[in-house]
């Protein structure tokens, strides 16, 4: 299980850094065309990842870590869990924003069911399970 946890940590760390780097490149390009800061923040929340979604996914991962510790694993301290789970939160929020469930709330009516399912899976179910494996089991 340690090998799986280590592989998941590295995979989400690389994916999270890639998403942040892509956003920074996009923001630098937009900034050179005199885009205002507020427009960059809107682009961050609608096209890349919303900070509230990242926070929620990290909290779900912490709940998974606590549950894994309760079932029989060893739950690490909060200061060790959050840095491990933060890239997971970035990737989960990025998945939600790219599949139409961004923070803007402008999803099409025919996609509401799918959007809710993606939010449920990406922001709650996956971090809950992966958080337990990555930090607690």
């Amino acid at each position: 299980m340690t090998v799986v946890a280590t592989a998941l940590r590295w995979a989400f760390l690389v994916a999270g850094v890639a998403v942040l780097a892509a956003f920074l490149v996009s923001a630098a390009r937009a900034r050179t065309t005199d885009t205002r800061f507020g427009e960059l923040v809107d682009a961050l929340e609608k096209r890349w990842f919303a900070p509230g979604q990242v926070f929620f996914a990290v909290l779900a991962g912490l709940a998974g870590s606590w549950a894994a510790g309760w079932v029989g694993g060893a739950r690490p301290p909060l200061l060790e869990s959050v840095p491990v789970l933060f890239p997971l939160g970035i990737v989960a929020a990025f998945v939600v924003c790219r599949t139409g469930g961004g923070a803007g709330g402008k999803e099409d009516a025919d996609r509401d069911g799918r959007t809710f399912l993606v939010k449920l899976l990406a922001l709650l179910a996956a971090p809950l399970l992966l958080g337990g494996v990555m930090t607690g089991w």
Side-chain angles (χ1 to χ4, degrees):
M1 195 56 105
T2 303
V3 174
V4 173
T6 303
L8 284 171
R9 287 180 195 144
W10 278 104
F12 281 109
L13 180 65
V14 169
V17 167
V19 168
L20 286 175
F23 168 71
L24 290 175
V25 168
S26 174
R29 286 182 181 169
R31 194 69 184 139
T32 59
T33 61
D34 295 329
T35 303
R36 287 184 261 147
F37 182 72
E39 294 170 354
L40 289 176
V41 172
D42 286 341
L44 168 72
E45 289 185 353
K46 291 180 182 170
R47 291 181 32 215
W48 293 96
F49 52 89
Q53 293 173 343
V54 173
F55 181 70
F56 185 79
V58 170
L59 286 180
L62 285 172
S65 173
W66 177 82
W70 183 74
V71 168
R75 190 170 84 102
L78 184 66
L79 292 175
E80 292 178 15
S81 296
V82 172
V84 169
L85 294 171
F86 185 69
L88 171 66
I90 290 174
V91 172
F94 177 73
V95 167
V96 168
C97 285
R98 288 298 173 146
T99 56
K106 297 181 181 175
E107 298 95 10
D108 295 331
D110 61 339
R111 293 191 325 173
D112 280 343
R114 184 180 69 92
T115 300
F116 177 73
L117 183 62
V118 168
K119 284 182 179 180
L120 182 68
L121 290 174
L123 294 178
L124 184 63
L128 191 65
L129 294 173
L130 293 174
V133 172
M134 290 170 64
T135 62
W137 217 300

